[in-house]
Amino acid sequence: MPNLGPTELIIIGVILILLFGAKKLPDAARGLGRSLRIFKSETAKLRDDDETDTHTATVVQAQQPAPAPQPLPTAPTAQTAEEQARALEEQAAKLRAQAGAAKPQ
């Protein structure tokens, strides 16, 4: 790819001025500069977060002992619809009784 010299850059600049107008170019350049600044700051924050997370993860791993294995839960017994409804009614009655006892009179 050939290098762009000053003559080619001037020609490109003149074409841009003809296409977009002299008033729009400074605003476009300003907007592009702001966008690049925001993009740069966000990528820097992401890099910092990744470095912090990696450092924290290695420290946390070194400090925590391996968790003890949990026993497997037993399979729930199959209940019929009537048994489930009866159990729900009992729970509702208990909650009503607790709510009634908790009311100040």
Side-chain angles (χ1 to χ4, degrees):
M1 182 173 146
N3 293 334
L4 294 177
T7 308
E8 289 88 3
L9 291 175
I10 292 172
I11 292 172
I12 292 171
V14 169
I15 291 172
L16 287 175
I17 290 173
L18 290 174
L19 287 175
F20 297 109
K23 293 181 181 180
K24 298 280 184 175
L25 284 178
D27 293 335
R30 193 174 304 116
L32 181 64
R34 287 180 187 157
S35 300
L36 289 175
R37 216 173 307 126
I38 292 170
F39 181 74
K40 182 180 175 182
S41 67
E42 292 297 322
T43 54
K45 286 179 187 177
L46 286 175
R47 280 193 214 116
D48 291 343
D49 288 346
D50 287 345
E51 290 172 3
T52 304
D53 291 344
T54 304
H55 178 66
T56 304
T58 56
V59 171
V60 170
Q61 280 182 339
Q63 292 176 353
Q64 292 180 348
Q70 298 290 328
L72 294 174
T74 58
T77 58
Q79 293 181 341
T80 64
E82 292 175 5
E83 291 172 342
Q84 290 177 354
R86 208 173 296 127
L88 286 174
E89 287 175 6
E90 290 173 4
Q91 288 177 354
K94 287 180 185 177
L95 288 174
R96 276 188 235 117
Q98 288 176 353
K103 277 188 199 176
Q105 293 180 5

